[in-house]
Amino acid sequence: MTVTLAFVCVQNAGRSQMATAFAEREVAARGLGEEIEIVTGGTDPAERVHAEVVEAMREIDIDLGDRAPREVTFEEVQRADYVITMGCSADDVCPAGWAGESRDWDLDDPDGRDPEAVAEIRDEIEERVRSLVDELDASGQ
């Protein structure tokens, strides 16, 4: 059985992009590609990933330069087992009757922040993603 994780934010240009990249790395490193599917998107996507986010991720050898924010679809959210929002309430993205679990990580927005602040947000996202994948891996999902 495949578990679907959806990392959702308004613009899909910062926190959700970082979370997706960390989740992809964790899933690949653990060989869980058949067990965990990752989806990301925004409810009102920006034109591009925030430059300060691209730079912060480049510092740890993850390239987001070629990624583009996209709109998350109702169907993607509806079929997700976990919808992780980044500080923008899941109430706006989770459809009525949706059976999955929603978690709001309540993270600061990195847009326009100085490099140190963006790095702190990045590091917190990395730790949360690692813990989430640990949880799913341990539960056999």
Side-chain angles (χ1 to χ4, degrees), residues 43-57:
T43 55
D44 186 16
E47 289 186 24
R48 65 188 57 84
V49 176
H50 301 310
E52 54 272 270
V53 169
V54 172
E55 183 57 35
M57 295 297 280

Side-chain angles (χ1 to χ4, degrees), residues 103-117:
R103 298 182 185 182
D104 185 64
W105 284 355
D106 195 24
L107 298 159
D108 290 334
D109 189 346
D111 188 19
R113 304 287 295 274
D114 63 63
E116 292 79 20

Side-chain angles (χ1 to χ4, degrees), residues 16-32:
S16 55
Q17 289 285 350
M18 288 190 280
T20 298
F22 285 128
E24 289 168 349
R25 187 177 72 180
E26 283 293 317
V27 165
R30 298 176 194 218
L32 298 173

Side-chain angles (χ1 to χ4, degrees), residues 3-77:
V3 173
T4 301
L5 301 177
F7 294 102
V8 180
C9 207
V10 174
Q11 293 189 319
N12 189 228
R15 296 163 287 187
S16 55
Q17 289 285 350
M18 288 190 280
T20 298
F22 285 128
E24 289 168 349
R25 187 177 72 180
E26 283 293 317
V27 165
R30 298 176 194 218
L32 298 173
E34 298 293 316
E35 289 85 25
I36 299 175
E37 177 187 4
I38 302 161
V39 174
T40 191
T43 55
D44 186 16
E47 289 186 24
R48 65 188 57 84
V49 176
H50 301 310
E52 54 272 270
V53 169
V54 172
E55 183 57 35
M57 295 297 280
R58 187 174 290 132
E59 289 173 4
I60 58 168
D61 297 322
I62 296 177
D63 185 7
L64 297 185
D66 62 345
R67 300 207 184 192
R70 59 179 292 278
E71 187 169 357
V72 67
T73 68
F74 174 82
E75 292 76 19
E76 287 171 328
V77 173

Side-chain angles (χ1 to χ4, degrees), residues 78 94-100:
Q78 191 172 41
C94 296
W98 172 68

